[in-house]
Amino acid sequence: MSKVKIELTHSIEIDGAKVGVIQLRRPKVRDMLSVEKSVDNDAEKEIQLFANLSELSPDNLLELDMADYGKLQKAYQDFLS
């Protein structure tokens, strides 16, 4: 399965370890549908989707700097084009 590595400008801490890279796998239709059914708010849907694709928890992604979150959004958009 194809994955893309996103280098973080500002590392986050996950389970006591510094993380400087997040990997996203290519999204499937089932990923979008599961998020659509589980969350009402659009921003939370996106965070849940990125959490599924990166195999991290939404709480982990909430710690990202906005510039790094923008990198996740760009990587996701690149999957769609």
Side-chain angles (χ1 to χ4, degrees):
M1 183 177 294
S2 179
K3 289 187 178 185
V4 65
K5 289 183 182 180
I6 295 107
E7 301 267 345
L8 302 179
T9 304
H10 305 280
S11 298
I12 59 173
E13 191 170 307
I14 299 176
D15 298 329
K18 287 256 185 206
V19 174
V21 175
I22 293 177
Q23 291 190 43
L24 285 185
R25 67 172 171 78
R26 292 191 60 80
K28 305 266 187 202
V29 173
R30 73 174 58 90
D31 294 310
M32 182 200 54
L33 286 177
S34 71
V35 170
E36 286 293 326
K37 293 177 183 177
S38 66
V39 185
D40 292 328
N41 175 303
D42 285 342
E44 289 177 353
K45 283 180 188 176
E46 184 176 77
I47 291 168
Q48 183 62 54
L49 178 62
F50 293 170
N52 293 350
L53 299 179
S54 65
E55 298 179 1
L56 296 173
S57 76
D59 285 340
N60 293 144
L61 297 183
L62 291 175
E63 295 304 316
L64 286 171
D65 182 89
M66 282 303 294
D68 289 327
Y69 187 74
K71 292 178 184 180
L72 264 65
Q73 290 173 313
K74 182 180 180 330
Y76 177 74
Q77 286 302 316
D78 289 348
F79 282 137
L80 302 180
S81 57

